[in-house]
Amino acid sequence: MDKLSLEYLMEKMRNNKIEFDEDLVSKAYYYTKDAHKGQLRNSGEEYFIHPINVCLILIDLNMDEATIIAGMLHDVIEDTEATFEDIEREFSHEIAVLVDGVTKLKRLKFRSKQESQAENIRKMVMAMANDIRVIIIKLADRLHNMRTLEYMTKAKQFEKATETVEIYAPLAHRLGISTIKWELEDLSLRYLEPETYYELVESIAMKRAERESFIASIMEILKDNIAELGFEADITGRPKHIYSIYNKIKKQNKTFDQIFDLTAIRVIVNTVKDCYSVLGVVHSLWKPIQGRFKDYIAMPKANMYQSLHTTVVGPKGEIFEVQIRTWDMHKTAEYGIAAHWKYKEGRTKKDNFDEKLQWLRLLMDWQKDLKDSKEFMETLKGDFFSDEVYVFSPKGDVIGLPSGSTPIDFAYRVHSAVGNHCVGAKIDGRIVPINTKLKNGNIVEILTSPNSSGPSIDWLKIVKSTQARTKIRQWFKKSKRDENIVKGRDVLEKEVKRQGFQFNEILKDDWLETVSKRLSFNSLDDLFASIGYGSTPLTQVMPKLKELHKKYYKTEKSINDLSIAGHAKNKTRSAQGIKFEGVDNLEVKFAKCCNPVPGDEILGYITRGRGVSIHRTDCPNMAHIDNDRIMPVEWDDTKDSIYNVHLNVLAYDRVGYLANISKIILDLGLNISSLSARINKDKTFLIDILVEIRDKEQIDELFKKIMNVDGTIKIYRVKA
């Protein structure tokens, strides 16, 4: 039977005992086929094969009818003329919401590919908080795309594989869906480090016969000894996944020959009691390695995983791992959240399923406070996708925290009030410093006082979890809000004065309200408080005010001409393409740390004995500089000067790439001051270019042409 046929799909659903309406599934099948008619994949095959394969993956996960149909329709809104309303009318509101949750934010314009990725991930997070099935569909979609990644360009392969191993594989791990997690990781490694991947595949194959013989003998001994206990057990040998071996080699700095536990013995029994009985047998037969026993039955992982893990030494000194679990635990280990799917009509109370998604609610809480897309992605990878440490509360509750967490992280995970009133901590009954790093199995008790003055700002340097960091910042923002509002307005007024404006001509209430809304604040006081607290730098506020000022006054004069007009002693002067106010014989130098060019927002830094250094306003070296040594400057449009710009290009290593880049630069009539390249371990290479240009428009044109070259991953200007 054709695996892409409707008959095969329905037969598979019946075999997996999934309840479904044949007419509805049939309607979705032909609706999808018709919607994607004429569309082709990069392989040249009909696009329709992709949504059907996504469906088959969802059926393997035993998902419900609505999820399977949404998986079939998941690209219809994004890639065809069909709308949300069409899906809702033809199928149901439930299915339309699921499809919309998976659909990318293609219709919105983003400043960069990184911002686009971050906002699409953020949208997916919000959608899956309402319905976890959204991310399960997305994982099935990504898995099939990774299985067919060979038809994409090298640059696209690298980009997708990186995103998969950094975002989607960790998400699958968080949801406990190991069958998808391992395959995503192995496929990513295949494209990120192909030589390493195929070397490992070859090395594993060479040892297969020897390893299989050893495992067979171990399984036979274990089978005979378990039989004497009077219950049945399913014993299998499970080879380690390639990415798992790669990680062990990389983290432990070992060679392949030094990795002994390439295979784990898995024992599946009927009851929890049987699990511990088998553990006793294993430890009586072979010597356990100290520190390598993990009881995930008593202390399950946050993704619901339960099993006993022990590493032992075999009869001839061989090291191998034994995993022991029940059938229910095995199902959860393979399919995670999908195995526990209980989406039933009329479910009103919270149950165990809801508790397993506590991490998702935490994710929703802190993402509201992260407006910057870069910060959102870094926090997502560093907090929710990092290794975890599991500790106990005094009542015996298990709490998972990012590896490296301290008692303060624990306190804020319990409750904000506990964190804010924390004055000390006990670990395993002993008072410890609050910066002590927690270890698996610690019993943590927080000491509080109602007279506590609140958290210390220094705690921000100690805590590891985003939740704790966010709550501490919120406390300072709230407790000193009035003070920060006054401070923020004062800071802005001083900056306005420093740049030569008069308050009444630029600090107009309606302009400030406009800037406030552009920066996603609910009120003007929120903006001032954020400036006063230091969360919002003036480099985000002033350019927007100046833009409104320029439109209102409809002038191309420098901002200082308007505010200080009529004062003869403050005539505008020019040097080396820069305009400044009222000072003769100034030596002007362009800062090499940020290489400003016409079109960039700039400022002048008065150096000691070396004139004025011109920097971009977003230059990292100007972030904490003394404002008294800053002077307003502007580009002199009448000058025709040449400026050096420092660029980096990250690209996939291919023959002729460097020649293509050089030709583009020369065709644009630009001069290359210097050019060098170095190969990275991941088979990419970094090109370092110093090029002469006249204005920012030339940089924009150069960026555009280089990004269109096959193999380019990204290009950016180098900052200090």
Side-chain angles (χ1 to χ4, degrees), residues 645-649 664 668 696-709 712 714-718:
V645 177
H646 191 186
L647 307 176
N648 275 176
V649 181
I664 286 173
L668 288 172
K696 192 170 181 290
E697 284 70 24
Q698 285 189 323
I699 299 177
D700 294 339
E701 181 68 17
L702 181 60
F703 272 44
K704 183 179 177 182
K705 288 185 178 294
I706 290 179
M707 281 306 300
N708 286 331
V709 176
T712 302
K714 64 178 177 179
I715 177 173
Y716 52 93
R717 285 173 68 179
V718 177

Side-chain angles (χ1 to χ4, degrees), residues 483-499 503 507 512 527-539 541-542 545 623 625 627:
E483 180 183 326
N484 283 327
I485 290 172
V486 174
K487 182 181 177 182
R489 179 176 275 279
D490 183 55
V491 168
L492 183 58
E493 287 178 352
K494 284 182 178 178
E495 180 64 14
V496 163
K497 184 179 179 181
R498 188 189 66 76
Q499 293 203 24
F503 298 153
L507 292 182
L512 288 168
L527 171 62
F528 288 141
S530 184
I531 294 171
Y533 178 69
S535 295
T536 300
L538 291 175
T539 51
V541 179
M542 283 305 297
L545 282 173
I625 214 70
N627 282 345

Side-chain angles (χ1 to χ4, degrees), residues 41 90 142 250 259 269 277 286 327 363 410 466 507 527 545 569 596 618 624 641 659 672 683 718:
R41 304 198 83 213
E90 294 293 332
R142 179 52 61 108
K250 193 173 181 181
I259 304 295
V269 293
S277 297
W286 303 289
W327 285 105
L363 180 59
F410 178 89
T466 302
L507 292 182
L527 171 62
L545 282 173
K569 64 179 180 179
D618 62 352
H624 306 291
S641 304
I672 300 174
K683 305 305 175 186
V718 177

Side-chain angles (χ1 to χ4, degrees), residues 9-26:
L9 191 146
M10 287 186 175
E11 186 63 26
K12 195 173 178 69
M13 291 176 77
R14 291 189 197 98
N15 291 339
N16 286 35
K17 297 181 173 57
I18 298 170
E19 294 182 7
F20 66 97
D21 180 333
E22 290 191 8
D23 291 338
L24 192 64
V25 172
S26 177

Side-chain angles (χ1 to χ4, degrees), residues 73-321:
L73 298 166
H74 78 274
D75 275 333
V76 167
I77 294 179
E78 186 175 328
D79 295 334
T80 76
E81 297 298 318
T83 64
F84 178 93
E85 291 72 24
D86 293 334
I87 303 299
E88 186 177 36
R89 184 180 62 254
E90 294 293 332
F91 299 96
S92 70
H93 178 73
E94 178 187 11
I95 290 172
V97 168
L98 289 172
V99 173
D100 185 62
V102 183
T103 302
K104 291 178 184 175
L105 303 172
K106 271 192 173 179
R107 295 175 180 83
L108 299 182
K109 291 184 178 179
F110 298 105
R111 289 170 293 180
S112 64
K113 187 175 289 186
Q114 288 76 17
E115 183 186 28
S116 173
Q117 180 201 45
E119 291 309 315
N120 278 308
I121 297 294
R122 194 195 291 263
K123 180 197 174 188
M124 188 174 66
V125 165
M126 294 175 70
M128 77 185 200
N130 294 323
D131 197 325
I132 198 68
R133 293 175 294 178
V134 167
I135 191 57
I136 296 176
I137 296 169
K138 188 61 187 175
L139 288 172
D141 171 45
R142 179 52 61 108
L143 179 57
H144 184 251
N145 280 332
M146 288 300 293
R147 287 174 177 174
T148 55
L149 199 60
E150 62 191 282
Y151 299 106
M152 294 216 173
T153 63
K154 295 289 186 184
K156 207 69 176 173
Q157 287 174 353
F158 185 86
E159 177 190 325
K160 291 293 182 186
T162 301
E163 184 182 58
T164 298
V165 82
E166 289 183 352
I167 302 295
Y168 290 99
L171 265 174
H173 173 68
R174 266 288 183 178
L175 296 170
I177 311 175
S178 63
T179 52
I180 289 183
K181 171 189 183 277
W182 289 120
E183 189 174 353
L184 286 177
E185 288 179 336
D186 283 358
L187 287 168
S188 297
L189 182 62
R190 177 179 164 189
Y191 292 101
L192 291 174
E193 297 195 34
E195 287 185 16
T196 302
Y197 175 84
Y198 287 111
E199 281 175 7
L200 284 174
V201 170
E202 188 177 341
S203 298
I204 291 168
M206 288 171 65
K207 284 195 171 186
R208 179 172 293 136
E210 174 189 342
R211 191 171 66 252
E212 287 178 351
S213 174
F214 165 70
I215 291 299
S217 65
I218 293 295
M219 286 168 55
E220 192 63 34
I221 295 170
L222 199 51
K223 183 178 179 182
D224 291 342
N225 280 269
I226 291 176
E228 294 177 8
L229 298 176
F231 57 80
E232 293 184 356
D234 183 85
I235 307 173
T236 56
R238 182 189 66 83
K240 291 266 187 182
H241 293 274
I242 296 170
Y243 188 83
S244 175
I245 297 170
Y246 163 80
N247 249 350
K248 186 166 283 192
I249 290 172
K250 193 173 181 181
K251 286 182 178 179
Q252 299 179 11
N253 197 25
K254 292 182 176 180
T255 64
F256 179 80
D257 292 331
Q258 293 173 308
I259 304 295
F260 298 106
D261 53 338
L262 293 174
T263 305
I265 303 293
R266 180 175 291 157
V267 183
I268 306 176
V269 293
N270 293 319
T271 68
V272 173
K273 180 182 177 182
D274 293 344
C275 290
Y276 289 100
S277 297
V278 171
L279 179 66
V281 170
V282 171
H283 284 180
S284 67
L285 289 170
W286 303 289
K287 183 179 179 180
I289 295 178
Q290 191 174 2
R292 295 291 296 274
F293 168 64
K294 302 285 175 61
D295 188 344
Y296 294 120
I297 293 178
M299 197 161 61
K301 291 186 178 183
N303 63 8
M304 301 181 293
Y305 179 87
Q306 286 184 287
S307 189
L308 296 176
H309 288 195
T310 185
T311 303
V312 296
V313 181
K316 296 181 180 179
E318 313 93 332
I319 297 173
F320 63 96
E321 184 183 58

